[in-house]
Amino acid sequence: MAQQQKISLPAKLINGGIAGMVGVTCVFPIDLAKTRLQNQRSGQQLYKNMMDCLIKTVKSEGYFGMYRGAAVNLTLVTPEKAIKLAANDFFRHQLSKDGGKLTVFKEMLAGCCAGMCQVIITTPMEMLKIQLQDAGRLAAQQRVMPSVVTLTMGGTSAVLSRSYNASPAAQVIRVSATQITRELLKTKGITGLYRGLGATLMRDIPFSVVYFPLFAHLHQLGQHSSENPSVPFYWSFVSGCMAGSVAAVAVSPCDVVKTRLQSLKKGANEETYSGVVDCVRKILRKEGPAAFLKGASCRALVIAPLFGIAQVVYFVGVGEFLLGYTPYDICSA
């Protein structure tokens, strides 16, 4: 671990990019199902569960419909993962300068700081991804209820509106992340891309507080011995998966709130929210406490392999190997 703390930023970017791109490619369809399940309201359920959502998505939008919004993730996941993992290493190093062993509190503090750093990238990435992922759900709802009149963002031009406007055919008109970004910048400024920042912080800080200390302790269990602290790559993967799934389920209610707040377009009779407190209050009143766990299993299935892959790439040191910093040893890294 000490060796990892001294590596350069390019190596961290390579590790984050490789881990993020492989992970996102593998689990993105499940993430799309999670977003659509979280956004559907009680009494207007188009999807029964994750598999039902994926099957209906393929039937109505084709195979690549499951990857709507993936380009945004693949573009921004490199800096996002690099910031998250590098920041945690940096703060752990700073908090252990006295030479003593990191306490659980200090590990949680390091994770908290890492979570605060990553939202610089995470918030706009999630904002754009959610609009693209949810477009198919809104179109499907319009096919069921063709009289739907969807809400538009105040002052928004037809670029955003036309992708969700109700029509007899209720087709999903392709709108790119670039178009949405331009429209948000034109109508709302840079703050438009950071809508839901508070909810993102509310999700990512607790996630990092739970994930990083839990991962560190699980990972430590895989050490060969006190004299040989190296850990097999597969144990890094297992530790990342276990810690990721626990942390994902723990903050699932915050993720539901974030998804609802960041969705610019609404379907028939769907509530709009003025903030985090208003969102929580309305969900509790109209849908009950169970609504906060919508998509929780999907999120666990997304996060577990994503962080498992990230930790393998990070601890094996693929970036360091490519840059010639350290030897590559997949068996004991």
Side-chain angles (χ1 to χ4, degrees), residues 116-148:
M116 291 178 68
C117 291
Q118 77 170 84
V119 296
I120 298 170
I121 302 295
T122 304
T123 306
M125 179 180 76
E126 294 272 317
M127 180 73 180
L128 297 173
K129 182 193 72 172
I130 285 171
Q131 314 318 312
L132 297 171
Q133 285 182 328
D134 205 38
R137 181 188 68 88
L138 293 170
Q141 189 182 71
Q142 289 164 12
R143 284 194 291 271
V144 175
M145 295 178 289
S147 61
V148 171

Side-chain angles (χ1 to χ4, degrees), residues 229-251:
S230 61
V231 177
F233 80 96
Y234 59 83
W235 189 256
S236 292
F237 177 77
V238 171
S239 299
C241 287
M242 291 175 66
S245 59
V246 171
V249 174
V251 302

Side-chain angles (χ1 to χ4, degrees), residues 46-323:
L46 296 171
Y47 313 112
K48 298 175 184 177
N49 50 46
M50 180 186 72
M51 286 306 301
D52 183 55
C53 178
L54 292 176
I55 290 169
K56 288 179 178 176
T57 298
V58 172
K59 284 182 178 178
S60 60
E61 302 170 53
Y63 173 79
F64 290 105
M66 295 191 297
Y67 284 89
R68 285 179 61 86
V72 176
N73 253 29
L74 290 170
T75 302
L76 296 178
V77 77
T78 297
E80 193 244 8
K81 280 286 174 288
I83 289 172
K84 189 183 190 79
L85 296 173
N88 180 66
D89 263 7
F90 172 78
F91 288 115
R92 286 175 70 91
H93 179 67
Q94 294 300 312
L95 291 169
S96 61
K97 273 188 171 180
D98 55 5
K101 185 178 179 181
L102 278 176
T103 63
V104 174
F105 174 75
K106 286 185 177 180
E107 289 181 330
M108 293 172 70
L109 182 59
C112 173
C113 294
M116 291 178 68
C117 291
Q118 77 170 84
V119 296
I120 298 170
I121 302 295
T122 304
T123 306
M125 179 180 76
E126 294 272 317
M127 180 73 180
L128 297 173
K129 182 193 72 172
I130 285 171
Q131 314 318 312
L132 297 171
Q133 285 182 328
D134 205 38
R137 181 188 68 88
L138 293 170
Q141 189 182 71
Q142 289 164 12
R143 284 194 291 271
V144 175
M145 295 178 289
S147 61
V148 171
V149 178
T150 56
L151 300 176
T152 59
M153 199 169 52
T156 304
S157 72
V159 171
L160 276 178
S161 301
R162 70 168 177 262
S163 67
Y164 304 119
N165 279 344
S167 64
Q171 295 178 341
V172 183
I173 300 176
R174 305 291 178 183
V175 176
S176 69
T178 304
Q179 288 176 293
I180 297 174
T181 301
R182 286 175 183 165
E183 199 57 46
L184 283 170
L185 291 174
K186 181 180 177 181
T187 58
K188 301 289 184 181
I190 191 67
T191 57
L193 289 173
Y194 282 87
R195 174 172 171 162
L197 175 61
T200 305
L201 283 167
M202 190 174 73
R203 180 197 69 174
D204 287 350
I205 290 177
F207 177 90
S208 296
V209 166
V210 173
Y211 173 78
F212 284 111
L214 181 57
F215 170 78
H217 287 273
L218 289 173
H219 193 255
Q220 197 173 34
L221 295 176
Q223 291 181 351
H224 293 299
S225 65
S226 56
E227 293 78 19
N228 180 16
S230 61
V231 177
F233 80 96
Y234 59 83
W235 189 256
S236 292
F237 177 77
V238 171
S239 299
C241 287
M242 291 175 66
S245 59
V246 171
V249 174
V251 302
S252 187
C254 302
D255 191 53
V256 172
V257 173
K258 183 198 73 67
T259 300
R260 296 282 182 95
L261 287 173
Q262 288 187 320
S263 297
L264 298 175
K265 298 298 170 183
K266 309 293 182 183
N269 304 317
E270 290 183 353
E271 292 277 3
T272 56
Y273 310 106
S274 60
V276 172
V277 176
D278 181 57
C279 182
V280 172
R281 186 185 298 120
K282 287 179 177 177
I283 291 175
L284 274 175
R285 187 175 69 246
K286 296 202 169 186
E287 302 175 61
F292 289 107
L293 291 177
K294 284 183 177 180
S297 58
C298 292
R299 180 163 166 75
L301 288 173
V302 168
I303 295 297
L306 192 61
F307 276 84
I309 292 168
Q311 293 296 357
V312 168
V313 173
Y314 196 65
F315 276 88
V316 166
V318 176
E320 292 81 355
F321 171 72
L322 293 175
L323 294 176

